[in-house]
Amino acid sequence: MNSRDTLFVSGNDLYIGSFKAVDLAKRFGTPLYVMDKKYIEEVCDAFVGAMSAYGDGAVAFANKAFATVATAKIAAAHGLWFDVVSGGELNLVLRAGCDPKKVLFHGNNKTEREIDEGIAADIGYFVVDSINELELLDRKATAAGKPRDVLVRVNPCVSAHTYEAVVTAAPQSKFGFAVDGDALAVIKDIASRKGLNYSGIHLHIGSQIYDHSSYFDAVDIITDFMKRLADEGIVTDILDMGGGYGIYYTDKDPKFTPRRYAYTVENIGKCVAEAVEKKALKKPFLIVEPGRSIVGEAGVTLYTVGAIKDFPGIKKYVAVDGGMFENPRYALYESEYSAMVANRASEPADEIVTVAGKCCESGDIVAKDIPLQHAETGDILAVFSTGAYNYSMASNYNLNAVPPVVLVDGDKADYIVRPQTYDDLLRNNEVPSWMN
Ligand code: LLP
C-alpha cells in the first residue's frame, strides 16, 4: 500500500476515502478503477507551489498518464497546463474547458490532421520533433496567417536510471534532435521561418525516475546548449524539462508524499536557476510535465478473485476478473505492483502468489510472486498505484470491456468513466452489404 492518507486499513477492511473497498466493489462491480480526487489535488498543489518557488513557470499534466475529462478539469482548476500527444487528447482537454493557450502538443509523428486541429484550436505550443513536422507546420501556419510558437524537442542524451522501454534520451532515441547533432541547425532554421516563432526547448529523459542527478545532468547539458544558441543571437524563453518522477509501487521503491514530489520540482528549479545565472543566460519560463506522479498513487484497482490454482511448493495463481486488457504493464514492462485482499486487510500477507488475469495468454499477469493474504474465491483484491498508465493503456483485448472509473471525493463516489456494454464493444462493427 502506498502512503496516501485516503487509503487505510480499519478492522479487517481496506478503506478508500470514506468507503470500504468491498462496498465500492459491490456498488460499481469489478474490475473497477478507483481514483482519489483529494490525492490528485494535493499533488497538483504541491507541484504548483514548488514552481512558484522558482518564479515564472508552469506545471503541465501529462494527460497520457490518465486521460479523462474529469481529471483534466481537476488539473485545470488547480492551475495546471496540459501536455497532449494526439488529436484525441487535444479534443479531451478542450472539451474539459482547458485554456488552449496552456496546451503543449507533443509527439514524434503528428499527423496533418492533428497539426490542423492544433492550429484551429490556437494552442499555446507545438513541440516540434522532426524536420517533416516543422516544414508542415510552417507551411500551414503561414497559410493560415497564424505564426506558431514552438518548442523544439532536444535530446540531451543523458542516461536516466529507469527501465529501457521508457528511457527517451538515449542517443538513438526516436524522439527529438540530438543536442550534439541536428538541434542547433534545426533551431536556426526555425528562427528564420515566417510561420514559426522559436520559443524554447523541450526535453524528457524518461519515466519512473527517482534519481535527481539525471535531471541535473540534463540541465547542465541543456543550459550549455542554450549558451551556444545565445552566442548565435537566439534567445530561449522557455525551458520544458518534461516529467518522469518515480512513484511507489512496491517496497523496493521509496514512499513519497506529495510534498516529496514537490521537492523534485524545487530541486530542478534551483538547478536551472543556478545554471542560467552561472552561464549568464536569460532565466527561462520553466515548465515541468509530470503524469505518473499526479495520478499514479491516486488509483486503486479492485477485482473479484475467481479461480485459484495451487502447485504446492512451486506456484500459486490467484486469478482475477481483470488482466492485461485493463493493466498491460506487466506484459509490457514486467512492472511490479503490491496488492491486498481488501476484505482480509489485517490478516498476515504470508502467501506468495501470482495474480493472473483472465486473458488467453500466459503472460497475462497483473502482479508476479507477491506477498498476499490467503485469498478465497469471491474475495475482493485491491492492487495499488494503478492510477497511471493503466486505464490510459487499456484495450478491449479478448473483447473484455474496459472497466469503469469511479472518482472518490471524501464521502462521495461516482463514475467518471461509465462501464462499457457489449453494444459498445461492437459499436463500430459493420458487415458490408456485399457480404449478404
Ligand atoms: N512528457 C513527455 C514528453 C512524455 O513523453 C511523458 C511520458 C511525460 C511527460 C510524463 O512522464 P511521467 O511523469 O508520467 O513519467 N507507459 C509507460 C510510461 C510511458 C511514459 C511516456 N511518456 C509506463 O506505463 O510505465
Side-chain angles (χ1 to χ4, degrees), residues 132-399:
N132 310 61
E133 179 186 348
L134 82 84
E135 284 175 348
L136 189 61
L137 185 60
D138 180 29
R139 196 154 25 88
K140 299 230 172 221
T142 308
K146 280 186 175 181
R148 302 312 318 177
D149 291 336
V150 299
L151 302 184
V152 177
R153 180 150 185 172
V154 175
N155 178 358
C157 303
V158 299
S159 55
H161 306 286
T162 183
Y163 46 105
E164 199 188 349
V166 294
V167 170
T168 51
Q172 69 285 7
S173 169
K174 74 167 181 169
F175 296 107
F177 301 98
V179 68
D180 291 321
D182 295 342
L184 186 66
V186 164
I187 292 173
K188 277 176 152 170
D189 177 17
I190 289 175
S192 72
R193 284 175 187 261
K194 277 211 286 299
L196 307 176
N197 301 322
Y198 167 71
S199 298
I201 295 172
H202 166 266
L203 58 95
H204 173 75
I205 57 175
S207 200
Q208 189 58 8
I209 299 167
Y210 298 116
D211 187 350
H212 292 184
S213 68
S214 308
Y215 292 105
F216 301 158
D217 292 349
V219 168
D220 191 36
I221 292 167
I222 222 66
T223 48
D224 278 353
F225 179 66
M226 283 160 62
K227 180 80 184 147
R228 279 168 66 203
L229 287 169
D231 291 344
E232 303 263 356
I234 298 174
V235 180
T236 299
D237 291 323
I238 298 178
L239 175 59
D240 179 340
M241 288 291 299
Y245 321 138
I247 68 165
Y248 172 90
Y249 286 104
T250 71
D251 282 341
K252 291 179 193 162
D253 307 320
K255 265 192 185 167
F256 287 157
T257 57
R259 176 72 205 88
R260 182 64 176 67
Y261 285 127
Y263 179 63
T264 311
V265 170
E266 269 167 30
N267 268 345
I268 293 173
K270 260 189 221 144
C271 183
V272 170
E274 280 165 21
V276 293
E277 194 181 338
K278 192 166 121 211
K279 297 174 195 182
L281 292 164
K282 179 182 172 193
K283 189 176 176 191
F285 183 92
L286 181 64
I287 300 177
V288 290
E289 295 172 341
R292 189 191 310 268
S293 47
I294 292 180
V295 286
E297 294 185 35
V300 176
T301 308
L302 300 180
Y303 303 95
T304 302
V305 173
I308 296 173
K309 272 186 200 161
D310 198 358
F311 303 90
I314 303 172
K315 196 158 190 93
K316 183 169 181 182
Y317 286 105
V318 170
V320 292
D321 49 359
M324 63 196 289
F325 62 96
E326 50 76 29
N327 182 0
R329 296 191 70 254
Y330 179 83
L332 285 170
Y333 321 116
E334 296 186 3
S335 302
E336 299 185 67
Y337 283 95
S338 44
M340 178 184 279
V341 180
N343 50 305
R344 301 179 196 271
S346 60
E347 293 172 23
D350 55 6
E351 293 189 5
I352 298 294
V353 307
T354 287
V355 179
K358 66 187 286 292
C359 293
C360 293
E361 292 202 29
S362 338
D364 173 30
I365 280 168
V366 175
K368 192 174 169 206
D369 294 336
I370 58 162
L372 195 68
Q373 295 80 5
H374 173 77
E376 300 274 350
T377 301
D379 282 348
I380 298 301
L381 184 84
V383 176
F384 302 112
S385 300
T386 55
Y389 304 109
N390 280 217
Y391 169 70
S392 66
M393 292 174 77
S395 75
N396 289 126
Y397 185 46
N398 286 182
L399 278 199

